[in-house]
Amino acid sequence: MKVVFMGTPEFAAICLEEILNSKHEVVGVITVPDKPAGRGQKLAQSAVAKLAIEKNLKLLQPEKLKNPEFLTELQSLNADCFVVVAFRMLPKEVWQIPKKGTFNLHASLLPQYRGAAPINWAIINGETETGVTTFLIDEKIDTGNILLKEKVEITTEDDAGTLHDQLAEIGKKTIIQTLNGLETNSIQPLPQENLGILKAAPKIFKEDCKINWEESLENIHNKIRGLSPYPVAWTFFSKDGENKFVKIYKGRFEKASNPNGNLNSISFENNQIKIQLKEGNYYVQALQIEGKRRLSDRDFINGLQDKEGWILNENI
């Protein structure tokens, strides 16, 4: 089939490459306009734009998806199907164009975790299973009829980065299976199940990434791995009244009794960063002080001149 692909980040670029290696033909790629980024505010391309240019594909980067000129050009591509991966909400004027429909690959088992950050929220919430879903786009976000689903186990060692890579691998194959099924009319779209209580996956902002050290050790640990390597959980380490903004990428915990009242203290012993909490101890294994590079616990400790008197500051 002739396919128009719509997407933005690396996850989407991985899927686009898989379509390019299939029997289907990519006749156009839609992504966001180049945007200023970094300290120099130089124009940066999305991962999908970079791949489209590298592969010499027709690339469209509309500011507005209802622009008449864009819609006319989109129709002129005469695609059989539109494939959407991590893009943006499409107006009806766009998704109703192809005769085989427009489908989206979502990184969850719908209807659970509708929204912008399903990979992060599945780990933050302590799920042991997630997956990918292809579904036909309709007027609402992530609510259309299901085409295919594939499940993935979430291990205790996974973080958002490792789970992203697993879902991208499975997702790209699911896209090809979906395209093949739509081409032969062998897939029967089914309405999403009515599960009652649904867990959402809204966009994550900086304030959402602040660690609440009053929570259970499991919740703290799930939040840290669910936000690693991006956008990253954070807190403040404090010494002698000076606060340091710290991103925490990795850690582990052990439940223990801390009866000495030394809660929220940070100690550096045996090349370990230990934070004493109500339920036990949290050991930070990878972190980054603002303005510095990411370090292992050992390298961070080796760089400290004074290892006494450090505490968490939760009041900022």
Side-chain angles (χ1 to χ4, degrees), residues 204-218:
I204 296 173
F205 297 93
K206 181 180 178 181
E207 194 56 37
D208 302 320
C209 301
K210 185 179 181 181
I211 300 168
N212 177 4
W213 296 101
E214 294 294 316
E215 290 198 44
S216 69
L217 284 168
E218 285 93 343

PDB file of all heavy atoms in Angstrom, residues 204-218:
ATOM      1  N   ILE A 204       3.971  14.852  31.144  1.00  0.00           N
ATOM      2  CA  ILE A 204       4.692  15.022  32.410  1.00  0.00           C
ATOM      3  C   ILE A 204       5.472  16.338  32.374  1.00  0.00           C
ATOM      4  O   ILE A 204       6.247  16.602  31.449  1.00  0.00           O
ATOM      5  CB  ILE A 204       5.639  13.839  32.660  1.00  0.00           C
ATOM      6  CG1 ILE A 204       4.826  12.552  32.826  1.00  0.00           C
ATOM      7  CG2 ILE A 204       6.498  14.089  33.892  1.00  0.00           C
ATOM      8  CD1 ILE A 204       5.657  11.296  32.902  1.00  0.00           C
ATOM      9  N   PHE A 205       5.268  17.147  33.419  1.00  0.00           N
ATOM     10  CA  PHE A 205       5.957  18.428  33.525  1.00  0.00           C
ATOM     11  C   PHE A 205       7.029  18.351  34.622  1.00  0.00           C
ATOM     12  O   PHE A 205       7.061  17.403  35.417  1.00  0.00           O
ATOM     13  CB  PHE A 205       4.956  19.550  33.827  1.00  0.00           C
ATOM     14  CG  PHE A 205       3.938  19.744  32.743  1.00  0.00           C
ATOM     15  CD1 PHE A 205       2.710  19.094  32.793  1.00  0.00           C
ATOM     16  CD2 PHE A 205       4.220  20.556  31.654  1.00  0.00           C
ATOM     17  CE1 PHE A 205       1.772  19.266  31.779  1.00  0.00           C
ATOM     18  CE2 PHE A 205       3.295  20.732  30.636  1.00  0.00           C
ATOM     19  CZ  PHE A 205       2.071  20.073  30.701  1.00  0.00           C
ATOM     20  N   LYS A 206       7.887  19.364  34.675  1.00  0.00           N
ATOM     21  CA  LYS A 206       9.012  19.341  35.619  1.00  0.00           C
ATOM     22  C   LYS A 206       8.538  19.127  37.049  1.00  0.00           C
ATOM     23  O   LYS A 206       9.126  18.339  37.805  1.00  0.00           O
ATOM     24  CB  LYS A 206       9.821  20.632  35.505  1.00  0.00           C
ATOM     25  CG  LYS A 206      11.027  20.656  36.450  1.00  0.00           C
ATOM     26  CD  LYS A 206      11.826  21.945  36.333  1.00  0.00           C
ATOM     27  CE  LYS A 206      12.987  21.939  37.315  1.00  0.00           C
ATOM     28  NZ  LYS A 206      13.784  23.190  37.239  1.00  0.00           N
ATOM     29  N   GLU A 207       7.471  19.798  37.449  1.00  0.00           N
ATOM     30  CA  GLU A 207       7.008  19.700  38.829  1.00  0.00           C
ATOM     31  C   GLU A 207       6.535  18.288  39.161  1.00  0.00           C
ATOM     32  O   GLU A 207       6.624  17.846  40.308  1.00  0.00           O
ATOM     33  CB  GLU A 207       5.889  20.718  39.085  1.00  0.00           C
ATOM     34  CG  GLU A 207       5.559  20.927  40.545  1.00  0.00           C
ATOM     35  CD  GLU A 207       6.757  21.344  41.398  1.00  0.00           C
ATOM     36  OE1 GLU A 207       7.617  22.121  40.920  1.00  0.00           O
ATOM     37  OE2 GLU A 207       6.824  20.876  42.554  1.00  0.00           O
ATOM     38  N   ASP A 208       6.040  17.576  38.145  1.00  0.00           N
ATOM     39  CA  ASP A 208       5.600  16.193  38.364  1.00  0.00           C
ATOM     40  C   ASP A 208       6.772  15.269  38.693  1.00  0.00           C
ATOM     41  O   ASP A 208       6.561  14.162  39.214  1.00  0.00           O
ATOM     42  CB  ASP A 208       4.892  15.652  37.114  1.00  0.00           C
ATOM     43  CG  ASP A 208       3.689  16.483  36.715  1.00  0.00           C
ATOM     44  OD1 ASP A 208       2.952  16.912  37.623  1.00  0.00           O
ATOM     45  OD2 ASP A 208       3.494  16.709  35.508  1.00  0.00           O
ATOM     46  N   CYS A 209       7.979  15.676  38.375  1.00  0.00           N
ATOM     47  CA  CYS A 209       9.160  14.827  38.535  1.00  0.00           C
ATOM     48  C   CYS A 209       9.823  14.962  39.899  1.00  0.00           C
ATOM     49  O   CYS A 209      10.783  14.249  40.199  1.00  0.00           O
ATOM     50  CB  CYS A 209      10.187  15.142  37.439  1.00  0.00           C
ATOM     51  SG  CYS A 209       9.565  14.910  35.769  1.00  0.00           S
ATOM     52  N   LYS A 210       9.305  15.866  40.727  1.00  0.00           N
ATOM     53  CA  LYS A 210       9.879  16.036  42.063  1.00  0.00           C
ATOM     54  C   LYS A 210       9.576  14.809  42.908  1.00  0.00           C
ATOM     55  O   LYS A 210       8.446  14.326  42.958  1.00  0.00           O
ATOM     56  CB  LYS A 210       9.307  17.286  42.735  1.00  0.00           C
ATOM     57  CG  LYS A 210       9.943  17.583  44.085  1.00  0.00           C
ATOM     58  CD  LYS A 210       9.367  18.854  44.707  1.00  0.00           C
ATOM     59  CE  LYS A 210      10.043  19.153  46.044  1.00  0.00           C
ATOM     60  NZ  LYS A 210       9.485  20.370  46.674  1.00  0.00           N
ATOM     61  N   ILE A 211      10.591  14.289  43.591  1.00  0.00           N
ATOM     62  CA  ILE A 211      10.424  13.093  44.413  1.00  0.00           C
ATOM     63  C   ILE A 211       9.799  13.471  45.757  1.00  0.00           C
ATOM     64  O   ILE A 211      10.265  14.405  46.430  1.00  0.00           O
ATOM     65  CB  ILE A 211      11.782  12.403  44.656  1.00  0.00           C
ATOM     66  CG1 ILE A 211      12.416  11.998  43.329  1.00  0.00           C
ATOM     67  CG2 ILE A 211      11.612  11.186  45.556  1.00  0.00           C
ATOM     68  CD1 ILE A 211      13.870  11.569  43.456  1.00  0.00           C
ATOM     69  N   ASN A 212       8.764  12.755  46.127  1.00  0.00           N
ATOM     70  CA  ASN A 212       8.170  12.906  47.453  1.00  0.00           C
ATOM     71  C   ASN A 212       8.728  11.786  48.331  1.00  0.00           C
ATOM     72  O   ASN A 212       8.303  10.633  48.240  1.00  0.00           O
ATOM     73  CB  ASN A 212       6.646  12.829  47.370  1.00  0.00           C
ATOM     74  CG  ASN A 212       5.987  12.912  48.737  1.00  0.00           C
ATOM     75  OD1 ASN A 212       6.653  13.098  49.749  1.00  0.00           O
ATOM     76  ND2 ASN A 212       4.667  12.778  48.764  1.00  0.00           N
ATOM     77  N   TRP A 213       9.675  12.127  49.180  1.00  0.00           N
ATOM     78  CA  TRP A 213      10.373  11.122  49.982  1.00  0.00           C
ATOM     79  C   TRP A 213       9.505  10.578  51.118  1.00  0.00           C
ATOM     80  O   TRP A 213       9.922   9.665  51.841  1.00  0.00           O
ATOM     81  CB  TRP A 213      11.676  11.695  50.529  1.00  0.00           C
ATOM     82  CG  TRP A 213      12.661  12.038  49.447  1.00  0.00           C
ATOM     83  CD1 TRP A 213      12.924  13.271  48.938  1.00  0.00           C
ATOM     84  CD2 TRP A 213      13.511  11.133  48.728  1.00  0.00           C
ATOM     85  NE1 TRP A 213      13.881  13.192  47.945  1.00  0.00           N
ATOM     86  CE2 TRP A 213      14.265  11.892  47.795  1.00  0.00           C
ATOM     87  CE3 TRP A 213      13.703   9.749  48.783  1.00  0.00           C
ATOM     88  CZ2 TRP A 213      15.192  11.332  46.940  1.00  0.00           C
ATOM     89  CZ3 TRP A 213      14.638   9.178  47.921  1.00  0.00           C
ATOM     90  CH2 TRP A 213      15.367   9.965  47.015  1.00  0.00           C
ATOM     91  N   GLU A 214       8.288  11.115  51.284  1.00  0.00           N
ATOM     92  CA  GLU A 214       7.348  10.594  52.275  1.00  0.00           C
ATOM     93  C   GLU A 214       6.596   9.372  51.751  1.00  0.00           C
ATOM     94  O   GLU A 214       5.939   8.664  52.513  1.00  0.00           O
ATOM     95  CB  GLU A 214       6.336  11.687  52.663  1.00  0.00           C
ATOM     96  CG  GLU A 214       6.944  12.867  53.390  1.00  0.00           C
ATOM     97  CD  GLU A 214       7.485  12.483  54.760  1.00  0.00           C
ATOM     98  OE1 GLU A 214       6.788  11.745  55.488  1.00  0.00           O
ATOM     99  OE2 GLU A 214       8.607  12.912  55.093  1.00  0.00           O
ATOM    100  N   GLU A 215       6.656   9.134  50.461  1.00  0.00           N
ATOM    101  CA  GLU A 215       5.957   7.989  49.884  1.00  0.00           C
ATOM    102  C   GLU A 215       6.666   6.681  50.246  1.00  0.00           C
ATOM    103  O   GLU A 215       7.755   6.680  50.814  1.00  0.00           O
ATOM    104  CB  GLU A 215       5.877   8.135  48.357  1.00  0.00           C
ATOM    105  CG  GLU A 215       4.936   9.233  47.891  1.00  0.00           C
ATOM    106  CD  GLU A 215       4.549   9.049  46.440  1.00  0.00           C
ATOM    107  OE1 GLU A 215       4.239   7.904  46.045  1.00  0.00           O
ATOM    108  OE2 GLU A 215       4.557  10.045  45.703  1.00  0.00           O
ATOM    109  N   SER A 216       6.034   5.566  49.872  1.00  0.00           N
ATOM    110  CA  SER A 216       6.649   4.263  50.137  1.00  0.00           C
ATOM    111  C   SER A 216       7.920   4.104  49.300  1.00  0.00           C
ATOM    112  O   SER A 216       8.090   4.757  48.266  1.00  0.00           O
ATOM    113  CB  SER A 216       5.671   3.142  49.800  1.00  0.00           C
ATOM    114  OG  SER A 216       5.466   3.070  48.399  1.00  0.00           O
ATOM    115  N   LEU A 217       8.801   3.227  49.762  1.00  0.00           N
ATOM    116  CA  LEU A 217      10.035   2.970  49.019  1.00  0.00           C
ATOM    117  C   LEU A 217       9.736   2.476  47.608  1.00  0.00           C
ATOM    118  O   LEU A 217      10.415   2.855  46.652  1.00  0.00           O
ATOM    119  CB  LEU A 217      10.894   1.953  49.769  1.00  0.00           C
ATOM    120  CG  LEU A 217      11.650   2.477  50.989  1.00  0.00           C
ATOM    121  CD1 LEU A 217      12.211   1.313  51.802  1.00  0.00           C
ATOM    122  CD2 LEU A 217      12.776   3.422  50.578  1.00  0.00           C
ATOM    123  N   GLU A 218       8.719   1.615  47.472  1.00  0.00           N
ATOM    124  CA  GLU A 218       8.357   1.103  46.138  1.00  0.00           C
ATOM    125  C   GLU A 218       7.920   2.233  45.219  1.00  0.00           C
ATOM    126  O   GLU A 218       8.336   2.293  44.053  1.00  0.00           O
ATOM    127  CB  GLU A 218       7.230   0.068  46.241  1.00  0.00           C
ATOM    128  CG  GLU A 218       7.671  -1.285  46.769  1.00  0.00           C
ATOM    129  CD  GLU A 218       7.483  -1.387  48.282  1.00  0.00           C
ATOM    130  OE1 GLU A 218       7.333  -0.328  48.943  1.00  0.00           O
ATOM    131  OE2 GLU A 218       7.482  -2.517  48.787  1.00  0.00           O
TER     132      GLU A 218
END
